[in-house]
Amino acid sequence: MATHPAPPLARLLERTADAVAAVRAGRSLTAALDSGPAELRPGALALASDVMRQLGTAQALREALAPRAPPAPVDALLLSALALMVPRDDGSLPYGDHTLVDQAVQAARQLAPASTGFINAVLRRFVRERAALLEAVRHQGVAAFNHPLWWIERVRQDWPAQWRELLAANNAAPPMVLRANARRTTAAAYVKQLEANGRTAQVVGPHAVWLHAPCPVTQLPGFAEGEVSVQDLSAQRAAPLLLGAGVRSGARVLDACAAPGGKTAHLLELADLDVTALDVDAGRLQRVQQGLQRLHLRAQLHCADARLTASWWDGRAFDAVLLDAPCSASGIVRRHPDVRWLRRADDLAALARTQAELLDALWPTLVHGGVLLYVTCSIFRVEGQQQIDAFLQRHGAQGAQLDAAAPGHLLPLPDNDPDRFATTPVVGDGFFYALIRKP
Ligand SMILES: C[S@@+](CC[C@H](N)C(=O)[O-])C[C@H]1O[C@@H](n2cnc3c(N)ncnc32)[C@H](O)[C@@H]1O
């Protein structure tokens, strides 16, 4: 196989600056990088993710060094370079100062030639005054915690004992966790298969395998044949929770917000179910189809807004409903470090409204005696416990009952595993799970 030399840092910085500018304008990092040259994508994604984790500090530093913001592309390059010159917790730096300043100036030559002198001067001053500048911004909330102020405040209100830890955890590297396909293998057998391929891994849950050194999925043995999928440990709780709640072989199950299909596939790997998988996004629904094909599984897929039941439901009640609702994604910031900068404070009210509408619309589609599993990958209470408390207030009189089997909020912190689902210290993503019975 031909090996390609790594792209020069200046080109990666140029691409990173484009992506940072896109995020600041409201686009996701993935969308921004997907539209650029493929050979720069992995390197630029790694750099841009690193920049997202230090963006609050970099912004405060830039304001101290250059109070008048330069044009957006120049600002994005400057912020990227500054973010990469902030020492990590252990004091290390990803690049030497000289290399980074030199490469940032080269990137500026391509992006905005008139700005090279400015970039050079600001970065050199930063190198000279780094300790004093860092000390000056250390106590500013956004710079100190690298999250927007409203987010910091929300986490502090929701989790007064853990808020600092939770904010810090968002900047950790996410573990790569796999789900062994129970129709073809077991977690223990797959670990052996990985070891035979020179990779170290361990079993961390009923079907979960923690791969110690992340790698592209194409390098996983048996991936193309459907032996394994990538799925976080906390996300792997959905299917066992539903099946543990008494959903039997042959049951009609609705997966109302299914794409990209991780939980749909897990359900079908564990039981012979008649699954209807809905998603409002046609492009994302295609990914469900591709995933099921790779895993040799089948479901009925429909592109529809789950709230508009008249448009997709034939009136036959489901034995179980899985509602993995759209949310802020505040529980998976490790994996999507741009999320914190993309969300706005008032998004939360809009998301909570959509979640309540989905719950209310889907409740009548559930058979008496059935269960609804409500899931979000959020740590915000308004999308979790408060949402379910309000639902029970609206529907409790008609019999809706909370089942204690679901864990509620799962925080992405060590030792936060109330029902000992995981068998090792791998930290799962932040999730909320509530199981509601309809007598
Ligand atoms: C958290 S993701 C689901 C993840 C998925 N269950 C899995 O495990 O791979 C939420 C999904 O809800 C979809 N969605 C958002 N609003 C919807 C609606 N009103 N009706 C149906 N799907 C919706 C989004 O397109 C997105 O794919």
Side-chain angles (χ1 to χ4, degrees):
M1 204 172 64
T3 53
H4 300 282
L9 180 57
R11 284 208 72 201
L12 290 176
L13 279 172
E14 209 184 309
R15 197 66 203 102
T16 298
D18 279 348
V20 169
V23 170
R24 296 181 89 213
R27 270 178 92 199
S28 80
L29 209 50
T30 336
L33 290 170
D34 279 351
S35 56
E39 72 278 11
L40 297 182
R41 197 183 183 283
L45 178 63
L47 273 195
S49 299
D50 221 3
V51 171
M52 291 295 124
R53 297 183 179 110
Q54 304 289 344
L55 191 58
T57 313
Q59 265 163 352
L61 290 170
R62 201 273 292 141
E63 279 158 26
L65 287 157
R68 244 186 63 207
V74 178
D75 202 16
L77 177 59
L78 199 48
L79 290 172
S80 303
L82 286 169
L84 295 168
M85 293 167 93
V86 173
R88 312 291 114 137
D89 287 345
D90 62 0
S92 68
L93 284 167
Y95 300 98
D97 291 335
H98 179 75
T99 304
L100 199 74
V101 175
D102 174 64
Q103 296 292 297
V105 169
Q106 281 200 40
R109 225 165 257 145
Q110 298 301 319
L111 270 176
S115 70
T116 50
F118 169 73
I119 296 267
N120 189 35
V122 172
L123 293 180
R124 284 190 189 283
R125 187 179 145 209
F126 175 68
V127 171
R128 283 195 308 273
E129 300 175 22
R130 178 164 27 213
L133 283 161
L134 286 172
E135 180 55 29
V137 304
R138 205 164 62 89
H139 301 291
Q140 300 172 18
V142 179
F145 295 106
N146 281 298
H147 286 71
L149 270 185
W150 70 266
W151 187 301
I152 299 169
E153 206 36 52
R154 172 68 64 154
V155 179
R156 190 150 64 154
Q157 267 172 29
D158 280 358
W159 303 104
Q162 298 101 328
W163 69 276
R164 283 171 191 277
E165 254 184 297
L166 283 167
L167 292 171
N170 283 346
N171 280 348
M176 184 165 177
V177 179
L178 309 173
R179 183 188 76 240
N181 179 353
R183 290 201 182 256
R184 299 178 69 109
T185 185
T186 62
Y190 194 72
V191 166
K192 290 217 169 69
Q193 215 174 318
L194 285 166
E195 282 166 358
N197 276 260
R199 298 189 183 276
T200 62
Q202 68 195 91
V203 175
V204 291
H207 311 106
V209 170
W210 171 33
L211 188 61
H212 293 161
C215 73
V217 289
T218 47
Q219 291 173 18
L220 295 172
F223 182 82
E225 294 73 33
E227 296 213 359
V228 75
S229 301
V230 176
Q231 189 179 41
D232 179 73
L233 191 57
S234 297
Q236 292 193 35
R237 288 169 175 249
L241 268 171
L242 264 185
L243 295 167
V247 177
R248 298 278 164 259
S249 206
R252 294 187 73 234
V253 178
L254 171 68
D255 187 349
C257 293
K263 300 182 187 72
T264 321
H266 196 192
L267 276 168
L268 289 165
E269 286 168 5
L270 297 184
D272 295 323
L273 301 168
D274 175 4
V275 174
T276 298
L278 292 187
D279 205 280
V280 75
D281 183 327
R284 285 172 65 85
L285 200 60
Q286 269 187 2
R287 292 175 58 195
V288 182
Q289 182 60 37
Q290 288 157 2
L292 292 180
Q293 251 165 23
R294 182 179 62 82
L295 295 161
H296 312 286
L297 301 167
R298 293 172 74 102
Q300 297 163 51
L301 308 190
H302 295 292
C303 185
D305 183 328
R307 291 172 295 188
L308 309 177
T309 48
S311 72
W312 58 267
W313 187 41
D314 63 7
R316 284 198 302 143
F318 293 99
D319 300 306
V321 173
L322 168 59
L323 171 55
D324 188 8
C327 71
S328 63
S330 62
I332 55 171
V333 183
R334 293 184 303 182
R335 299 187 191 281
H336 299 282
D338 51 336
V339 152
R340 69 193 102 177
W341 306 114
L342 291 170
R343 295 271 176 267
R344 300 283 168 260
D346 47 11
D347 291 348
L348 279 192
L351 284 162
R353 208 163 33 245
T354 302
Q355 292 151 7
E357 287 167 5
L358 281 160
L359 279 163
D360 288 347
L362 295 171
W363 187 241
T365 71
L366 183 65
V367 76
H368 285 283
V371 280
L372 182 148
L373 182 62
Y374 172 79
V375 187
T376 55
C377 55
S378 174
I379 59 164
F380 295 147
R381 289 185 192 268
V382 69
E383 302 183 281
Q385 195 57 55
Q386 288 167 5
Q387 181 66 257
I388 288 308
D389 289 346
F391 176 82
L392 292 172
Q393 287 240 316
R394 294 196 298 278
H395 298 272
Q398 295 96 52
Q401 282 170 10
L402 195 64
D403 184 313
H409 282 283
L410 291 168
L411 298 181
L413 296 177
D415 300 322
N416 180 53
D417 185 7
D419 41 8
R420 299 272 158 244
F421 178 83
T423 52
T424 76
V426 170
V427 174
D429 287 340
F431 265 75
F432 176 80
Y433 279 104
L435 199 54
I436 304 166
R437 290 196 177 272
K438 186 175 186 176

